[in-house]
Amino acid sequence: MDDDSRVTRRRVGDAEARRANRGWWDTDADDYQAEHGAFLGDVDFVWCPEGLREADARLLGDLPGRRVLEVGCGAAAAARWLATQGARPVAFDLSAGMLRHAAQAADRTGVRVPLVQADALALPFADESFDLACTAFGAIPFVDDSAALLAEVHRVLRPGGRWVFSVTHPMRWIFLDDPGEGGLTAVHSYFDRSPYVEQDSSGVATYVEQHRTLGDRIRELVGAGFRLLDLVEPEWPAGHEGVWGQWSPLRGKLFPGTAIFVTDKPA
């Protein structure tokens, strides 16, 4: 257990995790956008707190005419950017609170994409209906059965389609969520898959984030039928002084904070 008695590492089932995280993102949506909205932009695709943008990285490949699914879209800034590049995106999220911000951003910018409230473990889309799928920190860390999520994405992708997603780099789980000196000392086992849990005074989970090792992620991807093309570990860029939760220049100079898995569904 970390310093706060309401923060722990413990096993959490799918129903409890879904309930906790839907409630968390509905409640926290306003604060999250107030804190991070300017960094993420209204029409932009930022993969991670390090600031890597799809406009520069081009991890998804060619976009014009491609039907793209943004998984766990939040305020859907990435989907709107994809639309400006000639893609045909659909954005979904479990949280009504985040989708409200997506609709507001569409009103501000005039860039509109279809928004769907859905569960990543039961996608309401037909088999092989998308050319590409992507997410920047959406859905994957928040579900108990991430292997089942990957299988769902595989189902809705057409053969040859890419699936690219970013998550907290698994090695970060060794450390406390501290952007300062306190976050430089290893305190947890990398091999302890117990989720990070915030809970109320009654012990009911209010936020749940799952941990998988790099090997776990690769096995889940291969098991779902994907082929790993690249694993991108963005370096902290010179001059970037922003702090986002546990991400900071101090830690970013020493070890990676984000892992981006670039995969495809073989033709």
Side-chain angles (χ1 to χ4, degrees):
M1 185 175 294
D2 294 335
D3 294 338
D4 189 331
S5 62
R6 295 190 183 181
V7 176
T8 187
R9 304 283 180 100
R10 67 172 174 84
R11 183 74 175 84
V12 177
D14 178 64
E16 184 179 9
R18 181 186 288 108
R19 186 167 54 248
N21 287 323
R22 180 171 181 174
W24 172 272
W25 289 108
D26 282 347
T27 302
D28 193 60
D30 292 348
D31 289 342
Y32 181 87
Q33 285 302 117
E35 184 174 0
H36 302 300
F39 180 81
L40 294 172
D42 276 343
V43 184
D44 203 355
F45 195 145
V46 183
W47 280 109
C48 52
E50 290 86 351
L52 181 67
R53 285 172 160 76
E54 176 60 14
D56 300 314
R58 296 295 179 183
L59 301 179
L60 292 172
D62 293 337
L63 294 173
R66 300 296 184 92
R67 194 158 189 252
V68 188
L69 180 64
E70 186 182 5
V71 176
C73 66
R80 286 188 296 277
W81 180 84
L82 290 166
T84 68
Q85 305 304 300
R88 297 183 293 134
V90 175
F92 85 86
D93 202 282
L94 182 65
S95 166
M98 295 305 295
L99 291 173
R100 173 170 49 82
H101 280 278
Q104 291 171 353
D107 290 340
R108 286 195 301 272
T109 63
V111 181
R112 303 185 182 280
V113 300
L115 301 174
V116 179
Q117 186 173 14
D119 188 330
L121 296 176
L123 297 178
F125 306 110
D127 295 355
E128 301 183 3
S129 54
F130 291 94
D131 301 300
L132 303 167
C134 59
T135 185
F137 285 80
I140 294 171
F142 306 110
V143 300
D144 177 59
D145 192 349
S146 50
L149 186 159
L150 297 179
E152 273 291 271
V153 174
H154 187 274
R155 178 183 65 79
V156 302
L157 264 185
R158 296 179 180 128
R162 281 199 174 192
W163 162 228
V164 185
F165 64 91
S166 60
V167 292
T168 300
H169 198 290
M171 75 166 291
R172 283 287 176 108
W173 284 76
I174 300 170
F175 308 98
L176 297 176
D177 281 352
D178 183 342
E181 295 285 344
L184 301 181
T185 303
V187 296
H188 297 293
S189 168
Y190 175 77
F191 301 102
D192 181 2
R193 277 78 162 181
S194 302
Y196 169 91
V197 181
E198 296 180 13
Q199 54 193 24
D200 63 21
S201 58
S202 301
V204 176
T206 57
Y207 177 90
V208 179
E209 190 167 342
Q210 307 284 342
H211 169 48
R212 301 290 185 272
T213 67
L214 282 173
D216 292 338
R217 289 282 179 225
I218 292 171
R219 281 185 290 276
E220 288 183 349
L221 283 163
V222 172
F226 288 104
R227 177 177 58 172
L228 182 65
L229 303 177
D230 198 1
L231 173 59
V232 180
E233 299 167 296
E235 296 188 37
W236 195 266
H240 179 18
E241 298 301 323
V243 174
W244 178 321
Q246 55 150 307
W247 279 264
S248 67
L250 175 67
R251 283 155 61 96
K253 292 173 184 175
L254 299 175
F255 45 81
T258 299
I260 308 176
F261 292 83
V262 183
T263 77
D264 71 359
K265 178 178 179 176

